[in-house]
Amino acid sequence: MNKFKKISSAVILSFVLFNNVSAAKNTKDIKIEIDGKNVISDVAPFINNERTLVPIRVISENLGYNVNWDNNSRKVTVKNSDKTIELFIGKKNVSVNGVDNSIDVAPMIKNERTFVPLRFISESFDNDVKWDNNTRTVKINKKEIKVASILNDIDIRSTYK
């Protein structure tokens, strides 16, 4: 009977330790916020070479950009109304509005998703990016588009005689 208690205790202790390790792992997950709202992804972002990589569709579409994939050239294109970025899987060379540049970490495919450096994409479209190390959260604030009022462009003091 004493042997049974020891085995039972060891099994229970193993389950407790395993659950605590799993919970600790989940607290290390990277979170993404855009304008204060959580962004949910079916595939978790990860850090590679001190850069946070995210699934391109998740981040781009949440920022309001169009994404296209060319399987033959393994190229992903992200664009909005005034900017186009082209990235190639496994290559650090990128093109921003036709101008060649390079990035620290090449885009890659993981878990059947295309991952790209989050900061590069966000900042290329003039968004503000901050990293909160305490919560492991990337916080993106979208670029504000300032629209001039028509009244500011018209001199309403003009008089007709």
Side-chain angles (χ1 to χ4, degrees):
M1 190 68 149
N2 195 15
K3 187 175 182 180
F4 178 73
K5 285 182 181 179
K6 286 182 180 179
I7 292 173
S8 297
S9 296
V11 169
I12 291 171
L13 182 60
S14 296
F15 282 120
V16 169
L17 289 174
F18 178 75
N19 285 338
N20 286 341
V21 168
S22 295
K25 181 182 176 224
N26 289 338
T27 61
K28 297 206 182 271
D29 287 346
I30 297 168
K31 297 172 208 65
I32 301 171
E33 287 181 5
I34 296 177
D35 291 334
K37 295 179 185 175
N38 287 329
V39 173
I40 306 299
S41 174
D42 61 334
V43 181
F46 63 95
I47 295 177
N48 181 12
N49 199 24
E50 299 184 16
R51 297 289 179 248
T52 302
L53 279 84
V54 295
I56 187 65
R57 283 205 185 275
V58 170
I59 197 64
S60 296
E61 290 176 356
N62 276 282
L63 286 168
Y65 311 139
N66 295 314
V67 179
N68 292 308
W69 170 252
D70 180 344
N71 197 43
N72 292 333
S73 63
R74 297 177 52 91
K75 175 178 76 172
V76 63
T77 304
V78 183
K79 62 184 354 183
N80 68 2
S81 60
D82 59 20
K83 194 167 283 188
T84 300
I85 300 174
E86 296 177 329
L87 306 104
F88 295 86
I89 299 302
K91 296 182 180 177
K92 293 182 180 181
N93 299 342
V94 298
S95 171
V96 179
N97 281 348
V99 177
D100 292 333
N101 289 300
S102 64
I103 53 179
D104 296 346
V105 177
M108 64 180 66
I109 295 178
K110 180 178 177 182
N111 297 331
E112 299 181 19
R113 300 289 189 280
T114 300
F115 283 81
V116 296
L118 172 65
R119 184 175 293 277
F120 172 75
I121 295 295
S122 295
E123 289 182 347
S124 290
F125 287 102
D126 301 320
N127 298 305
D128 183 47
V129 180
K130 301 268 190 261
W131 170 253
D132 184 335
N133 199 42
N134 294 329
T135 61
R136 294 183 53 85
T137 303
V138 177
K139 297 181 179 189
I140 302 169
N141 290 308
K142 289 194 282 188
K143 171 179 76 170
E144 289 184 35
I145 300 172
K146 302 196 189 284
V147 178
S149 168
I150 294 174
L151 292 178
N152 289 338
D153 294 333
I154 299 173
D155 185 356
I156 58 174
R157 292 172 285 166
S158 297
T159 57
Y160 295 95
K161 294 185 181 181

